[in-house]
Amino acid sequence: MKNFLSRHKRILIDLITIISVFLFVFISYFIFKPLYSRSVIGFGSIDGIIPRIYIYLCVLAIAITGLILRIKGKLNLEILLFLIFLLGVVMQLNYMLITPYNYRQHDVFSYNNAGHQGYAWTIYTTGKLPTQVDSQGHLDYQFYHPPFNAFMQAMFMHICKPFMSLYSAISGSNYYDTTNMDSLFQTSEILSTFYMNVSIYFGIKIAYKLKVDNKFKVYGALFIALFPALIILAGQENNDPLCIMNCFIVIYFTIKWWEDKSYFNAIMIGIFTGLAMFAKLSGALIALPAIIAYIYSIIQSIIKKEKFHHYFIQGAIIALLVLPIGLWFHIYAKIKFNQPFGF
């Protein structure tokens, strides 16, 4: 009973943290993204000075909080890791706020509107999956990907539309145009940043679980929170951020399962492995650590002559979750467009 309550307390803390971060990113976007403009500073100029000042103040607040806690002797490992997480969130938010949404995108836009933007826009405007094909009869350009990311972006555009209208009514600004594809799709940057925030959250939780000295846990947390690729992905509008987020969660629950081989942890592995594949088929690779841990546990149970039938039950549960979530679209694309598996 104590473990049950402890687990639910941790889950509640995780949910509160994740929801709070989402609201922070959402509100920051609607307030500061429209304020991106070139401002004259002395003899030169700089883009996005107001968002930059906002980020500087956030970093300063984190640093001052850490310093005060250190002086009072209350800066333990858990609080330090959480402050590092907040620093990572702010760095990713900074990149999103000061980088135009169409910068450094390689597969989001296309001349025939068949990139990730076109994918989301098709679902947003029609409520259906795209059917546009290439010269071979396969789904065109980025439409071959599973639609999880496009579903999320299309749904989010509907959610953001009234907030865009509200901002325009209050500010008198025409920055947001609810009839324009580019203006609506730009809000998906919120999702990408949020996905990367969640990624580093679970990445730091993974670092905390490592059986190493505390200073190496801190180094690991800093590496994850400030890793340049994860910061750039916060402004990436393709399906990579969503897939990576689910992969981090799978790794975390794989470690949890290694510590406590409960059905709950197995179910989480199954759900988020399926979702990683639903975002991008290559997300299936993240199942390898779980498979290795699973096989090793069975072998150890056989060597120790322990019961291991429950492993097969958990394996069946994981498979029943992963296969339909992760592969249904590829079966659909094979049947309707004769698209090869793994295309």
Side-chain angles (χ1 to χ4, degrees):
M1 184 66 179
K2 184 177 180 181
N3 290 336
F4 177 83
L5 293 174
S6 177
R7 175 189 295 169
H8 280 69
K9 182 180 178 181
R10 289 196 301 271
I11 293 172
L12 181 61
I13 292 172
D14 288 341
L15 287 175
I16 291 173
T17 302
I18 290 170
I19 292 171
S20 299
V21 166
F22 174 79
L23 292 174
F24 171 66
V25 173
F26 187 88
I27 294 169
S28 297
Y29 174 89
F30 275 97
I31 293 176
F32 293 100
K33 190 70 175 182
L35 299 179
Y36 178 92
S37 61
R38 184 167 289 273
S39 303
V40 177
I41 305 291
F43 296 102
S45 62
I46 188 168
D47 286 332
I49 186 62
I50 296 176
R52 289 174 192 269
I53 291 173
Y54 171 61
I55 293 299
Y56 295 153
L57 292 175
C58 289
V59 172
L60 183 62
I62 293 169
I64 291 174
T65 300
L67 181 61
I68 291 173
L69 291 173
R70 177 60 184 257
I71 292 173
K72 292 184 175 182
K74 296 181 179 180
L75 187 63
N76 57 32
L77 177 63
E78 289 79 5
I79 294 176
L80 178 57
L81 293 182
F82 185 73
L83 291 176
I84 292 172
F85 163 65
L86 292 181
L87 179 62
V89 167
V90 170
M91 290 297 98
Q92 292 175 345
L93 176 64
N94 173 65
Y95 179 83
M96 184 266 279
L97 290 179
I98 68 172
T99 304
Y101 90 106
N102 55 352
Y103 277 31
R104 305 183 187 96
Q105 312 288 344
H106 64 280
D107 55 3
V108 174
F109 311 102
S110 73
Y111 72 95
N112 61 347
N113 206 29
H116 285 282
Q117 183 189 49
Y119 203 157
W121 189 251
T122 299
I123 296 174
Y124 173 79
T125 54
T126 69
K128 299 177 181 179
L129 291 171
T131 56
Q132 183 175 318
V133 296
D134 59 18
S135 59
Q136 295 179 310
H138 302 146
L139 285 166
D140 200 10
Y141 194 36
Q142 298 303 311
F143 291 170
Y144 76 90
H145 280 294
F148 188 23
N149 182 60
F151 278 157
M152 295 295 291
Q153 290 175 331
M155 179 181 68
F156 197 65
M157 283 190 278
H158 282 292
I159 292 172
C160 287
K161 192 172 180 177
F163 290 96
M164 295 167 69
S165 299
L166 178 64
Y167 178 89
S168 298
I170 293 175
S171 66
S173 168
N174 61 354
Y175 181 85
Y176 294 120
D177 181 357
T178 58
T179 63
N180 180 269
M181 177 174 66
D182 291 330
S183 184
L184 274 166
F185 182 73
Q186 182 179 343
T187 60
S188 63
E189 284 188 305
I190 299 172
L191 289 179
S192 297
T193 303
F194 173 66
Y195 296 152
M196 287 298 97
N197 295 162
V198 176
S199 296
I200 63 172
Y201 181 72
F202 280 95
I204 291 173
K205 285 170 73 71
I206 291 167
Y208 179 70
K209 283 188 166 294
L210 296 178
K211 307 294 184 183
V212 296
D213 189 82
N214 285 348
K215 67 179 180 180
F216 293 111
K217 294 181 181 182
V218 173
Y219 296 155
L222 284 168
F223 179 82
I224 293 167
L226 302 179
F227 191 61
L230 296 182
I231 292 175
I232 292 174
L233 280 165
Q236 209 60 21
E237 289 152 337
N238 59 13
N239 52 352
D240 289 337
L242 182 56
C243 181
I244 289 170
M245 178 191 75
N246 284 291
C247 288
F248 268 102
I249 297 174
V250 171
I251 294 173
Y252 173 74
F253 278 106
T254 298
I255 295 173
K256 291 275 291 180
W257 182 86
W258 183 258
E259 297 172 341
D260 174 20
K261 296 176 176 61
S262 67
Y263 282 90
F264 174 80
N265 289 329
I267 289 171
M268 292 297 102
I269 291 171
I271 290 174
F272 287 102
T273 301
L275 291 176
M277 294 169 62
F278 189 19
K280 194 172 186 178
L281 184 59
S282 58
L285 294 172
I286 203 60
L288 289 175
I291 292 171
I292 293 171
Y294 178 76
I295 294 173
Y296 180 83
S297 297
I298 292 176
I299 293 172
Q300 286 294 101
S301 295
I302 293 172
I303 292 173
K304 296 178 181 178
K305 297 180 179 180
E306 298 174 344
K307 293 180 179 180
F308 55 87
H309 69 277
H310 60 284
Y311 291 135
F312 293 104
I313 298 174
Q314 290 186 355
I317 291 172
I318 291 173
L320 288 172
L321 290 168
V322 171
L323 296 179
I325 297 174
L327 296 178
W328 75 265
F329 175 78
H330 301 281
I331 296 171
Y332 156 82
K334 174 66 177 176
I335 294 172
K336 189 160 185 175
F337 303 100
N338 196 31
Q339 183 169 288
F341 286 108
F343 182 77

